């Protein structure tokens, strides 16, 4: 995107980035949004990877951002594989579909690789993330923490073959847990917005949830 620059998130950016996340996710997956509260919380987590927190700016205004946490794959062979969990990542509605998401993802991929991380993991729409270098985690035999294959669980190797022997269950940080009462209290800091249900993106999310499925007996 012309005129866009990326830089590391600063402490002074926190409030602006939380507003960006709220706007980016409002009514997307459910009525309202939780990503702004999630971001507020994960910055306090020991799993938060501060070096990867990045913002996108146009004319000095923050229009997008991404944060990351440490995650783990518990392989079927008993190993633990450390990975980077991407998210939340959001772009203001007026600046979406213009390449900001790709720039943010590619930026953190480069940084994470330089830091020695082997792969990025996230849950998101395959129709979008397949264009950003992600593939279904099922391709590597990786399942959810509940031991389910899930189309929305996506992986991007940072070095070739990094996940070739990583079949197992993926576990994101406990820092991603959201307390609904605390979310409601936190949201009062922002301007009221109408919550809507049945949006196309929410229906798409329900379709993705329906793709969860267990391993076959032959795989176990």
């Amino acid at each position: 995107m012309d005129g866009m620059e990326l830089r590391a998130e600063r402490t002074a950016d926190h409030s602006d980035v939380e507003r960006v996340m709220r706007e980016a996710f409002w009514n997307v997956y459910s009525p309202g949004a939780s990503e702004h509260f999630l971001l507020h919380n994960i910055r306090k987590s020991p799993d938060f990877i501060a070096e990867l927190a990045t913002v996108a700016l146009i004319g000095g205004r923050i229009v997008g951002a991404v944060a990351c946490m440490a995650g783990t794959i518990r392989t079927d062979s008993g190993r633990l594989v450390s990975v980077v969990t991407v998210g939340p990542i959001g772009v203001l509605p007026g600046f979406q579909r213009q390449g900001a998401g790709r720039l943010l993802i590619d930026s953190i991929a480069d940084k994470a690789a330089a830091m020695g991380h082997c792969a990025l993991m996230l849950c998101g729409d395959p129709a979008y993330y397949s264009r950003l270098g992600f593939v279904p985690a099922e391709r590597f035999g990786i399942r959810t923490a509940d031991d389910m294959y899930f189309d929305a669980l996506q992986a991007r190797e940072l070095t070739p073959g990094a996940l070739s022997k990583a079949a197992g269950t993926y576990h994101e940080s406990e820092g991603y847990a959201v307390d609904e009462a605390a979310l409601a209290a936190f949201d009062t800091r922002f301007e009221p917005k109408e919550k809507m249900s049945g949006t196309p993106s929410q229906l798409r999310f329900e379709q993705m949830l329906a793709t969860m499925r267990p391993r076959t007996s032959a795989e176990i």
Side-chain angles (χ1 to χ4, degrees):
M1 180 187 297
D2 292 340
M4 177 173 289
E5 62 174 313
L6 303 182
R7 66 163 169 76
E9 182 186 74
R10 302 167 182 165
T11 301
D13 298 328
H14 288 185
S15 293
D16 288 340
V17 172
E18 288 161 10
R19 290 188 180 89
V20 166
M21 290 296 175
R22 187 174 186 256
E23 292 296 321
F25 287 98
W26 195 259
N27 293 329
V28 171
Y29 295 122
S30 61
S34 62
E35 284 76 8
H36 56 308
F37 176 61
L38 181 64
L39 178 59
H40 180 77
N41 279 348
I42 66 174
R43 292 194 187 105
K44 309 168 192 174
S45 169
D47 293 325
F48 181 61
I49 308 175
E51 299 89 337
L52 296 181
T54 305
V55 296
L57 305 96
I58 292 181
R61 176 191 180 189
I62 296 176
V63 299
V66 62
C68 299
M69 295 270 273
T72 305
I73 298 170
R74 299 175 186 170
T75 72
D76 297 332
S77 62
R79 293 187 305 118
L80 295 180
V81 177
S82 298
V83 294
V84 174
T85 301
V86 179
I89 175 172
V91 178
L92 285 174
F95 296 88
Q96 293 175 3
R97 299 179 180 84
Q98 299 179 47
R102 178 182 295 278
L103 289 175
L104 287 167
I105 288 290
D106 286 346
S107 174
I108 62 169
D110 290 343
K111 292 178 184 176
M115 293 167 65
H117 295 291
C118 73
L120 306 180
M121 299 285 298
L122 56 76
C123 281
D125 192 337
Y128 175 71
Y129 285 102
S130 64
R131 303 196 298 267
L132 304 184
F134 287 83
V135 299
E138 182 176 358
R139 183 175 299 182
F140 305 106
I142 300 171
R143 291 96 58 193
T144 68
D146 296 328
D147 203 22
M148 303 283 280
Y149 287 124
F150 185 29
D151 286 358
L153 185 58
Q154 303 276 299
R156 174 170 165 171
E157 291 183 312
L158 298 178
T159 57
L163 298 177
S164 62
K165 297 181 180 180
T169 55
Y170 161 68
H171 301 262
E172 64 182 22
S173 170
E174 293 180 357
Y176 280 117
V178 173
D179 179 279
E180 293 298 327
L183 165 60
F186 181 74
D187 203 51
T188 62
R189 302 183 186 185
F190 301 83
E191 293 184 6
K193 289 174 66 70
E194 181 183 3
K195 295 182 179 180
M196 299 177 61
S197 59
T199 64
S201 57
Q202 290 172 17
L203 296 176
R204 170 62 177 162
F205 181 58
E206 291 177 5
Q207 291 174 344
M208 284 192 291
L209 289 177
T211 68
M212 282 194 179
R213 57 203 179 278
R215 289 185 287 170
T216 65
S217 58
E219 296 176 281
I220 299 174

